[in-house]
Amino acid sequence: MFPSRAVLATLLACALGAAAAPAASATPPPAPVPVVFDGDSDFADIATLAYLCQAHKHRRVDLRAVTVTNNGAGIPGRALTHVRTTLGKCGLSGIPVADGSDTGVNPMPADSRAWTESILNGALGDAGVSHRPSRVRASALLAATVLKSAKPVVVIATGPLTNVAKAMAVPGVAQRISRLSVMGGAFDVPGNVFGPDAGKFDGTQEVNMWLDPASADKVFAGIRRVDIVPLDATNDVPITPSYVERLGREARTAEAKLVHSIVTQPDLVPYVQDGTAFWWDTLVSSEVFDAVSPVKLRQAKVDVRQDGAAAGRTYVTPEGTSQNVGYDADPVAYENGFLKMLNGQVVTRSPAMRTPTIRRAS
């Protein structure tokens, strides 16, 4: 006697259920890494934010907050507006933002700020947007975000370290930062300080460290893991005309198109053409989150000069604090990984690849 249709249907459902059971028990994807991005809203910061927005959308990171330093390349007020505009263009307007950092030791030249403003006004189209002050100061938002997170937080810092140092004054914050990746410093290459006061210094310091050396010193000494991506590494990744052309040809997302708009602005193009514009800040996020990190790191004891002609200089000394220092970068790996992330073609780094190879300084 053959089973009835009802019995056959039941048996088929049971069979399908049994077959589907292994899929239901599959290992879920890892939770995204909580991240705070702190920068000074120069053109490379905004390109970095675009990268992080796309990584957030694909659950590579959980972008918890964006904080803005007012003592760097961005004009106070306008720097925060550019961050808000960028988040809006990326569909992430709900991410908390704040500015309001303390004044650094050395001022950013006014003409550099005007140059940055011209590039971002053109790329973002927000010249007519009025400033809305943030409800809290940047350091307070950074500290609160770190302490609220159930998991330790990665901080990406691409300007002077004023906000990070101020946030560390809140008990428990430094201990809840699992990794700080910094764009700053120059070790075995010349610095890049410029402007009317440059002649007072010896040319060994990188701008972000020079703007607030006291905060850099405090941060390096107080956080358990700091990856420093200095000019020694960023000098290897210039913004090339061929890559700009590739960005325009292959951009598929709002984030990729925004970055292409930035690097084709008339005030930036001459520097791209003569090889003096670099992917300074974007290399930092790539060092942490690309499937294959483009930056090599070495362990070294680092200190920061606090005054005199070498103020802001980063250097290796037995009396320094142990850090991971970038000394080399692969431009091909960087360009490929950066564009993949911008276009949402995210490849998760395996646990074995999560940390770049770190060698000890000789």
Side-chain angles (χ1 to χ4, degrees), residues 237-249:
V237 287
I239 304 173
T240 63
S242 61
Y243 189 60
V244 170
E245 189 276 331
R246 181 184 172 191
L247 275 171
R249 184 178 68 251

Side-chain angles (χ1 to χ4, degrees), residues 295-315:
V295 181
K296 295 179 182 178
L297 300 174
R298 63 185 173 195
Q299 291 181 335
K301 291 189 174 183
V302 175
D303 207 346
V304 184
R305 297 284 185 198
Q306 293 301 302
D307 48 34
R313 177 189 174 194
T314 49
Y315 64 104

Side-chain angles (χ1 to χ4, degrees), residues 181-185 227-231 233-234 280 283-284 287 295 324 326:
S181 193
V182 174
M183 193 281 120
D227 292 358
I228 303 172
V229 181
L231 297 180
T234 62
W280 290 288
L283 185 63
V284 176
E287 181 265 318
V295 181
N324 303 318

Side-chain angles (χ1 to χ4, degrees), residues 72-195:
I75 295 174
R78 293 296 301 158
L80 182 62
T81 296
H82 293 320
V83 165
R84 286 185 172 129
T85 300
T86 302
L87 290 171
K89 287 181 176 292
C90 297
L92 297 173
S93 297
I95 290 176
V97 299
D99 67 351
S101 60
D102 297 332
T103 302
V105 174
N106 296 302
M108 175 65 74
D111 58 349
S112 175
R113 284 182 159 180
W115 179 75
T116 295
E117 182 68 5
S118 174
I119 292 170
L120 294 181
N121 281 342
L124 297 172
D126 60 354
V129 176
S130 58
H131 171 51
R132 289 185 293 114
S134 57
R135 295 181 179 180
V136 298
R137 289 175 65 83
S139 58
L141 175 60
L142 199 160
T145 303
V146 168
L147 292 176
K148 183 180 178 181
S149 175
K151 296 172 60 178
V153 175
V154 171
V155 176
I156 305 294
T158 55
L161 292 170
T162 316
N163 287 337
V164 181
K166 187 72 174 291
M168 286 170 54
V170 179
V173 168
Q175 293 74 23
R176 297 293 298 166
I177 296 175
S178 61
R179 181 175 184 173
L180 172 68
S181 193
V182 174
M183 193 281 120
F187 292 85
D188 298 321
V189 299
N192 62 351
V193 169
F194 58 93

Side-chain angles (χ1 to χ4, degrees), residues 148 330 346:
K148 183 180 178 181
D330 182 336
V346 182

Side-chain angles (χ1 to χ4, degrees), residues 14-73:
C14 290
L16 290 174
S25 62
T27 303
V33 178
V35 171
V36 174
F37 176 46
D38 180 75
D40 60 352
S41 286
D42 68 10
F43 78 86
D45 286 271
I46 298 302
T48 304
L49 181 56
Y51 170 106
L52 292 172
C53 285
Q54 191 59 225
H56 176 89
K57 290 179 180 179
H58 285 82
R59 294 185 58 77
R60 185 72 179 86
V61 308
D62 180 3
L63 185 57
R64 299 285 181 88
V66 181
T67 53
V68 181
T69 61
N70 281 342
N71 56 344

